[in-house]
Amino acid sequence: MVTTQVLGGDAAGYAAAAAIWRAGGLVAFPTETVYGLGADARDDRAVARIFEAKARPRFNPLIVHVASVAAAQAYVTWSDAAETVARAFWPGPLTLVLPLREGSALSPLVTADLPTLAVRVPGHPVARALLEVFGGPVAAPSANPSGRLSPTEPGHVLAGLDGRIKAVVDGGVCPVGVESTILGLAGDPVLLRPGGVPVEALEAVLGRPVGTSGADEGLSAPGQMRSHYAPGVPVRLGARAPRGGEAMLGFGAVEADLNLSPAGDLTEAAANLFHHLHALDRLGARGIAVSPIPEQGLGRAINDRLRRAAAPRG
């Protein structure tokens, strides 16, 4: 066990976090999507500590966060499609999966020995400042025990990882609230995980349809495990009302213990998703019933997280 420090989102906090990363330690930090658990992506032992702290399966690859497009190009084989979407959505909640560049010097644990790398330039000002001060690639899955609810504020991180990591940088509440969209560009564009950038926006920029990955294709990116993002109680989807001691997570004009968006706004709902699930999980209810969410725009990302939260747990 270690004493987990809470660092400020300021120059002193950035310097302290970068020093911990250089020494091989783990620091949680805010992105616009959720808090990430970061380590130097070039350090085998540091990356191994991420898997240990989260109890994360080693076959599940990680996203590498970098400060700029130029930094990303040092680690992957770039393409015209990558250039197009990076210009439109970076910095921001989009991860690209591209062929790993030979001699990248990244730990093979980052890619789970796959020939591709998941990489993104985050848009949160604290994340960007941290990456600039550190000056290198940071591997960072969500800062929570593997399979559990993603953290969107420092308290969520400490609830799951206090004593397992060196520090968390306090950047307040994450504004997007669901993880980044993951777009595979090792071949034709394919949606590997819905997230903070709607697939409709990607298709508009690319000028072509984006395919979807099949359930039988194996893990090719983070966030694809069937049971994931789960609270401690069962989740029931498509509910019109709670039953049997359930708490109700609403959407739209419904009676609920907590409502993702009474106005039916999917952007507001995404921002509230994990925060509300954390809150309902603490109520001690027998389960969580969730209102139907439209399968469009950010609703795809919300429903993806909810389906995984409701999946049978092995």
Side-chain angles (χ1 to χ4, degrees), residues 21 27 29 37-41 63-66 130-131 134 136-140:
W21 279 336
V27 179
F29 65 101
L37 180 57
D40 187 338
I63 296 173
V64 168
H65 296 66
V66 293
L130 277 169
L131 290 166
F134 178 60
V138 172

Side-chain angles (χ1 to χ4, degrees), residues 97-123:
V97 174
L98 291 156
L100 181 66
R101 188 178 291 277
E102 189 174 350
S104 69
L106 297 178
S107 169
L109 292 172
V110 168
T111 62
D113 291 319
L114 293 170
T116 53
L117 175 69
V119 63
R120 93 170 170 111
V121 179

